[in-house]
Amino acid sequence: MAIKKGDCVKVIAEKLANSLEALASDRRYPPYLFEGRGEVVDIRGDYAQIKFPVPTPTVWLRLDQLEVSQ
């Protein structure tokens, strides 16, 4: 299923590991990244901007690193 703006998504840990995005940031990921759901607030090309329900900045991840969550 294609991910679109407004969808709730979960991060796929295996796809994030050793990716360019993982290598460019701190690899001590906060628990909410994998345990919680985030909302897609924008999509540009192969990337989605994700907002999590915690007081933290949004994050950009590749669409293939995400899965739609119910």
Side-chain angles (χ1 to χ4, degrees):
M1 180 179 345
I3 295 173
K4 60 187 180 303
K5 191 173 178 179
D7 281 348
C8 288
V9 294
K10 291 185 89 169
V11 178
I12 303 169
E14 298 79 24
K15 297 231 177 173
L16 182 59
N18 298 317
S19 68
L20 180 63
E21 294 77 17
L23 297 173
S25 42
D26 188 348
R27 299 186 100 183
R28 296 171 293 170
Y29 302 117
Y32 69 83
L33 196 62
F34 303 110
E35 296 169 1
R37 298 182 319 166
E39 178 187 353
V40 176
V41 293
D42 196 8
I43 295 178
R44 294 188 186 168
D46 293 334
Y47 287 84
Q49 183 180 22
I50 312 300
K51 174 184 157 190
F52 289 93
V54 293
T56 182
T58 59
V59 58
W60 286 89
L61 293 172
R62 281 194 336 257
L63 292 170
D64 68 328
Q65 298 168 337
L66 304 169
E67 64 183 358
V68 176
S69 176
Q70 301 300 335

